[in-house]
Amino acid sequence: MSTSVRQARRPAAAPSRRAAAGFVVPAWAVAVVGLLAALVITAVTLLTVRHSDPEPQAQAAAPPPTAVIAEIDGQKIPLRELALYLAQDRAVTFAHFQQAYGATDGPHFWTTPHGGQTPSDYLKKRALTDVTRATVVLELAHRHQLIADPGYDAFLTGWTTENARRRQAVAAHQIIYGPVQYTEANYFTYVLHDLDARLEQVLTQAGTIPAPDSALRAYYRSHLDAFRQQDATTRKITTPRFGEVVQQVRQGYVHSRYQTLTTGLARTARVSIEKTVLAAVPVD
């Protein structure tokens, strides 16, 4: 057998250590490269998020219920009081924008402007109008000694006291009229309606709302529809004479004059709004 054949059958020599070292990467180098790659990827990701898809900034925290939202004729109004009217006027606000602009409910309803005004701003303005009239009524009641303190803190104290009285009455099996417990909103409405009725009487007796016979007759003639009656048997509609409904006429006339008086006082009240606080009040 030739030498060449013997060499062909000889097993191939293993690569030398020097040659192998040229292709094997040490373990520490692999770790360094992996760490650098991870850092590069993280940096690119952060830059991409920052420049192409920025995270929305966190919204300012809503003001606390005790935050002063306005000052009306020197009386400080807490957000808690305004919130009652924000809740009360939501349905009216929605109906207004639905009827006037065809707006529909959705995630952007309150922030979408229509006619230069968003439903949120409209609602806040309406609530401020309502709270201004309430403040005027409370101050008027205080001036005529119907309440000791026209402030909202005093109202909250009265609300807490009334609910405690009702709990004790129920526990003692006593009869109570109305709810077992008033909500804050319901009790505020009750107090204002009660003061309205009492103020109408007080202001009439004091001559602030004069009710001469001539004024009552004029009111009767201009509101005949309000006094017409239907016979239960014949179903015939008749208009009673002034003397037959004079008490109803007086009530209607005094109530109308009272509404005009309080509306005028609210319109001319000194109102200072904390715009920054009001803007931060969430409506959704």
Side-chain angles (χ1 to χ4, degrees):
M1 184 177 292
S2 66
T3 305
S4 61
V5 173
R6 283 199 299 269
Q7 290 176 346
R9 291 183 176 178
R10 194 179 291 169
S16 66
R17 291 182 179 274
R18 185 180 298 274
F23 295 94
V24 177
V25 180
W28 64 267
V30 173
V32 170
V33 171
L35 178 59
L36 290 174
L39 290 174
V40 170
I41 292 172
T42 302
V44 171
T45 302
L46 290 175
L47 288 173
T48 302
V49 170
R50 182 174 296 176
H51 292 288
S52 63
D53 189 18
E55 289 288 337
Q57 294 183 352
Q59 294 183 348
T66 55
V68 174
I69 201 78
E71 186 171 315
I72 301 173
D73 283 343
Q75 188 68 248
K76 295 185 184 301
I77 309 300
L79 173 57
R80 183 171 183 168
E81 182 178 355
L82 182 73
L84 300 181
Y85 290 106
L86 288 174
Q88 175 181 296
D89 293 336
R90 284 177 66 91
V92 174
T93 298
F94 182 82
H96 169 74
F97 280 87
Q98 185 182 48
Q99 295 170 7
Y101 304 103
T104 56
D105 195 10
H108 304 294
F109 170 79
W110 294 102
T111 55
T112 301
H114 300 277
Q117 188 177 40
T118 66
S120 175
D121 290 339
Y122 178 93
L123 173 60
K124 291 178 182 180
K125 183 177 181 180
R126 186 181 180 94
L128 281 168
T129 298
D130 289 340
V131 82
T132 299
R133 185 191 179 278
T135 303
V136 164
V137 170
L138 290 168
E139 179 56 39
L140 198 58
H142 177 247
R143 194 183 312 163
H144 288 275
Q145 301 180 347
L146 297 180
I147 56 176
D149 187 337
Y152 199 71
D153 285 344
F155 159 76
L156 290 174
T157 299
W159 170 51
T160 302
T161 302
E162 176 61 19
N163 276 344
R165 183 190 71 80
R166 287 173 174 268
R167 284 194 300 270
Q168 293 172 0
V170 170
H173 305 289
Q174 298 175 352
I175 297 175
I176 62 170
Y177 297 96
V180 174
Q181 293 285 277
Y182 278 107
T183 66
E184 182 177 345
N186 287 345
Y187 193 63
F188 195 60
T189 299
Y190 166 77
V191 167
L192 287 176
H193 283 178
D194 180 63
L195 289 176
D196 281 336
R198 294 166 65 189
L199 278 170
E200 287 181 9
Q201 296 178 3
V202 169
L203 295 176
T204 302
Q205 293 171 358
T208 305
I209 299 180
D213 185 75
S214 58
L216 297 181
R217 289 182 180 277
Y219 181 84
Y220 166 76
R221 289 191 296 269
S222 61
H223 294 81
L224 287 178
D225 289 343
F227 305 107
R228 289 196 170 99
Q229 302 172 352
Q230 186 177 50
D231 187 275
T233 303
T234 64
R235 314 297 291 178
K236 183 179 179 181
I237 297 176
T238 60
T239 303
R241 291 174 295 183
F242 172 77
E244 298 172 342
V245 290
V246 63
Q247 292 303 319
Q248 295 95 308
V249 172
R250 177 182 294 276
Q251 291 176 0
Y253 171 79
V254 169
H255 180 71
S256 176
R257 289 293 305 272
Y258 173 76
Q259 291 295 323
T260 300
L261 171 65
T262 54
T263 299
L265 290 173
R267 188 179 297 117
T268 58
R270 302 185 310 277
V271 180
S272 175
I273 301 171
E274 296 292 341
K275 295 182 180 180
T276 302
V277 179
L278 183 63
V281 175
V283 176
D284 50 30

